[in-house]
Amino acid sequence: MSGFPNPSAPASLTFLGAARTVTGSRFLVDSGGALVMVDCGLFQGERVWRRRNWEELSVDPAKVDAVVLTHAHLDHCGYLPVLVRNGFGGPAFCTPETAELAAIVMRDAAHLAEEDAEHANAYGYSKHSPALPLFDSGDAEKAVALLRPVDHDTPTTVPGDIGLELRSAGHILGSAYAQLDVSGNRLLFSGDLGRPGHPLLLPPEPPRDSDVVVVESTYGDRVHEPTEVGDEIIAGAIRRTIGRGGVVLMPAFAVDRTFVLLMTLARLETEGRIPAVPVYVDSPMALRALDVYKDAIRGHDTQLRPEVTMASTAYRPSHLKLMPGREESVKLNRPGRPCIIVSASGMATGGRVLHHLAHQLPNRRNSVVLTGFQVPGTRGRALVDGTKQLKIHGRYVPVRAEVCFTNAYSAHADAAQMVEWLSGMEPPDTAYVVHGEEDAARALADRLADELGWNAVVPRYLERVRLA
Ligand SMILES: [Zn+2]
């Protein structure tokens, strides 16, 4: 530990990531002695962002006293193994469900990083020789060992005498917004804020008055399509594709989104809006995450809507096939009949979905249906933007399949929902708008200033601000 608050050193907040971009959430709170990193995420997308995962951090990881994780998505927890690799050994506080899911996510990411490095070395397409993984399974295991579960709504103290409370954010299972009491300042970090209409999770808990608010802005300039519109985009794509004898490929985030999509497919089938064709879930990580969700439903977790039971969450289309094995996955590259494949990663940045894309994109009969936020620089974003070729495993693949996109199933609040949630608190001293592309962050900051009269700022990467 680097010590306890030193009254002569002013408390500060430094934006180590997710500043004018959606990924790499890392915010360093210096209480005037102790250093606490809120979220410890990987940068994803454009090379210029991803390179930052490899850069030396502006703080020595060995001097960071503790980490707080808001939830288990890679852009919020995926840098923890790197921090550990470089010397961090303190506790990483998070909710029990986040600990379970983050363990799955970090182990999977290590495995993919190792596999990518091997693949790049075998085919010689990396700029580095030999290509090395950003972190390996050993680092991920060390990171998992540091996770310290704290229940929602249970105040605790972290190194530096900093008060911490994690309150449900309704984004994915275990997700929280973090409230920190630092040297007389109350700081609220929204993490990723869920929206009121999630089919399983209760809406985010209302915020408490705070001096400083650090709020996400993924959809800071957008309003979501209604679920009904999303349903018809998905159902229409499936009917057309199956009608022409093709394969529907749905890249999906393993945690949460795969479950929600399966529920949607089961419902559309029951309503007679899509044909009863085989649905394959080809992602070992998604299957592990599905088990954590099922446990939460069976245990009546308080983050879930009270009406949610295993019976009410029909997530099984009639011909569902779960595919943990690699051999089956390879066979599925040539399915031989019309079907639906749900596979990770959701932005096609890695994982088994890349093999499926490489096989299915060149054929006009097929379709790719994207349902998650697509970060600029990812293959998923390129598809949504209408690219004609996609580089996969060092080769260019022609894009002839139909591509559809909907944000109707987003796990994030949209701009109106975000303003509504924040309007429940007194204006803070300052609000910092993060975790959004620059236009989205600015749009939300403007709305907070115009509609709520807030002092709202879009911070720069590595900018440091003093706490009052
Ligand atoms: Zn998230």
Side-chain angles (χ1 to χ4, degrees), residues 141-160:
E141 289 310 320
K142 283 182 207 152
V144 169
L146 298 178
L147 298 174
R148 293 286 178 280
V150 182
D151 284 325
H152 281 106
D153 306 317
T154 307
T156 188
T157 305
V158 308

Side-chain angles (χ1 to χ4, degrees), residues 7-26:
S8 61
S12 68
L13 170 63
T14 310
F15 299 89
L16 298 181
R20 306 185 186 194
T21 182
V22 173
T23 63
S25 274
R26 300 170 203 164

Side-chain angles (χ1 to χ4, degrees), residues 233 237 240-241 244 249 251 357 361 364 366-370 379-387 390 399-406:
I233 288 172
R240 286 191 300 278
T241 309
R244 54 184 184 246
L249 181 57
L357 283 168
L361 279 175
R364 287 178 209 289
N366 301 333
S367 63
V368 178
V369 180
L370 296 139
R379 295 182 185 87
R381 179 64 165 257
L383 284 172
V384 172
D385 290 345
T387 187
L390 207 54
V399 178
R400 300 193 190 103
E402 177 184 351
V403 175
C404 303
F405 173 75
T406 172

